[in-house]
Amino acid sequence: MAAPSPKVPERPVKAGRERVGEVPPDQAVPPDLETLAASLQVCRRCDLWRDATQGVAGEGSSRAALMIVGEQPGDREDRQGRPFVGPAGLLLDRAMAEAGVGRDRTFVTNAVKHFKHEPRGKRRLHKTPDRGEVQACRWWLDAERRLVKPRVILALGATAVLAVFGKAAPIGKTRGQRQALAGEAVGLVSWHPSFMLRMPDPDAKARAYAELVDDLRLAWKLAA
Ligand code: URA
């Protein structure tokens, strides 16, 4: 007999109605990360599911003290169904190794769980998710936060900052600052690895990479 399909959260979240870190009271948080990942496959909270291969849930330790949040799955992540496995993921892995952060002891996820893109010939070009998509997908991020209960959340890039803190903030000015979040977590921000991959100036790139390593080190220390 086929397994019952997971409950679909049908109703879109209206912008500004919920507080960061809180799931609307009328929708039950999935009981565990496996159920969450299965439920994500039938999410219709925004339209991004239409052109994506699958929803990509976070992965890592279900008891991680450090959660790392990126923007959205890229082309590789969309096909493999795992976060940060493409070029940005390789750079993140390198920075984590340099900072002494074991990826398997963290929980790595994204602000938006479906790949937003547009076709360009045979390629699928990344498109930045808009505010409404970030807001709609925050339900999933908040559910992951509820289940994992990280002590520290490191938001990488502007989209993750918006999802985690509920408002935009300049990364250059706010990195290194600890910000209080719901659930007694501490929030930190840093550069997104994809941003570095696009930087033409090698010196600026090296600086941003070194800062990401520093931010990972601080996040790991605070999570210990
Ligand atoms: N891959 C991800 O999973 N997230 C990003 O933000 C970028 C690449």
Side-chain angles (χ1 to χ4, degrees), residues 95-210:
M96 286 173 86
E98 214 166 308
V101 178
R103 179 161 168 165
D104 56 347
R105 293 175 61 200
T106 67
F107 189 82
V108 175
T109 191
N110 282 303
V112 169
K113 311 297 192 205
H114 285 101
F115 179 34
K116 182 173 182 180
H117 58 276
E118 62 187 5
R120 185 72 55 86
K122 284 190 178 153
R123 296 179 60 213
R124 304 188 300 169
L125 290 193
H126 162 278
K127 279 186 85 180
T128 304
D130 64 31
R131 222 168 227 277
E133 288 152 355
V134 172
Q135 178 67 28
C137 214
R138 212 173 72 188
W139 191 89
W140 295 105
L141 180 62
D142 287 350
E144 289 177 327
R145 284 171 61 177
R146 280 274 185 97
L147 290 169
V148 178
K149 300 186 184 66
R151 276 198 290 281
V152 178
I153 301 179
L154 178 63
L156 303 180
T159 302
V161 168
L162 183 60
V164 171
F165 300 100
K167 59 181 195 299
I171 290 165
K173 287 202 179 121
T174 49
R175 51 171 292 278
Q177 294 173 16
R178 302 164 202 194
Q179 303 184 52
L181 291 170
E184 293 178 24
V186 171
L188 293 169
V189 311
S190 193
W191 306 113
H192 194 291
S194 299
F195 166 68
M196 280 162 227
L197 291 174
R198 288 193 304 267
M199 281 175 132
D201 175 358
D203 291 341
K205 193 183 220 157
R207 256 196 318 276
Y209 176 78

Side-chain angles (χ1 to χ4, degrees), residues 32-41 54-64 66-73 77 80-85 103-104 106-114 137 139-145 147-148:
D32 51 52
L33 291 167
E34 291 72 28
T35 312
L36 183 149
S39 306
L40 181 59
Q41 305 315 321
Q54 57 195 315
V56 180
E59 70 173 21
S61 166
S62 60
R63 304 167 70 164
L66 172 60
M67 177 179 277
I68 298 174
V69 183
E71 185 194 73
Q72 64 165 353
E77 288 81 6
Q80 290 189 22
R82 298 182 55 211
F84 279 106
V85 290
R103 179 161 168 165
D104 56 347
T106 67
F107 189 82
V108 175
T109 191
N110 282 303
V112 169
K113 311 297 192 205
H114 285 101
C137 214
W139 191 89
W140 295 105
L141 180 62
D142 287 350
E144 289 177 327
R145 284 171 61 177
L147 290 169
V148 178

